[in-house]
Amino acid sequence: FFFFFLMIRRPPRSTQSRSSAASDVYKRQVLNYLQNELHKSIYVLSNYSELTVEHFMKSFKDFHVSIPAENIYCSSMLAPKYLAKNYPEVKNVYYLGYINLKSQLEKYGYTAIGVEDNHTKLTSYDEVIKTYLSRGIHAVVVGYDHYINAFKIYMASIAVSKGARFLATNSDPSYDVKGRLMPDTGAMLSAIEVSTGKKAEIVGKPSKIPFDLICEDHGIKDRSKVLMIGDTIETDINGATAAGIDGCFVGKMKEGINAKYVCLLYTSPSPRDSCASRMPSSACKKKKKKK
């Protein structure tokens, strides 16, 4: 079996006394067991456009787990990779995102434009048009951008409306910060999609694009031997399903779990509840079959 493994950011504690450091130990043990005992290939797939493969390599090293660089796929590198494969005519890319997205675009030989506008104020539409014409933009890539502003939205919208290729690293609408939902890439992307009437090609989950690219890169023909392990139904599991890959959901019980396999994380002080009482009967059967 080949495994797409999404590292769980910080799963809920199994009990009130069990630390998240302990859960890190469990995750490390599972990863090492899959690699060293079962000899499975592990691929990491992340929607974080703020991070690069190098960031993940350092994190795994600190985690005492060895994952080859060629097995790590983050959306910041998937965007230029997809551009290079499908739109060879593209040279100049306007991006919304962190400097890491710029560095990944430049690795593929693109002229990446965007950071220059982090603090540019929108003075007039004519000024935006003048700047746009001077740049010769062939594609727009939207990632999470902490410095998003009106000028950037105008610039990206004009380029897309003029025919530039239109990509986004992901379409996640929000992310959680201490119990509060904050706008993510999808919220920023919607401003451009609504204003232009055009939809971006999503290169991250839940699109099937990243799964197809990984299978192609590593010569994986039989997708029945691939399992996606993830903690988000909307991106991890639905993305795998779209690509014809089985999913294993790891997380708290919720409605609408459509994964073939389910591994629940207990949030009550006593984790001794039965499988059947916390899982749909079909999911429970699948889990028993997996064992």
Side-chain angles (χ1 to χ4, degrees), residues 24 36 41 51 64 69 79 99 111-112 123 129 135 141 174 189 208 227 232 248 261 265 283 288:
D24 283 347
N36 303 327
S41 297
L51 303 179
H64 303 292
I99 194 70
T111 299
T123 55
I129 286 289
R135 288 173 168 174
V141 175
S174 60
L189 173 64
K208 65 190 291 288
L227 180 67
T232 307
C248 175
Y261 305 102
L265 299 174
K288 288 180 178 179

Side-chain angles (χ1 to χ4, degrees), residues 13-14 28 57 71 81 86-87 92 101 112 119 131 137 144 155 158 162 188 215 232 250 284 290:
R13 298 174 183 180
S14 298
R28 181 167 62 246
M57 290 291 291
N71 287 16
K81 185 180 183 70
N86 294 277
Y87 306 114
N92 302 328
L101 181 54
H119 304 289
T131 306
I137 298 169
Y144 178 78
M155 180 65 66
I158 291 171
K162 295 289 187 180
M188 303 173 188
C215 287
T232 307
V250 181
C284 186
K290 176 66 176 176

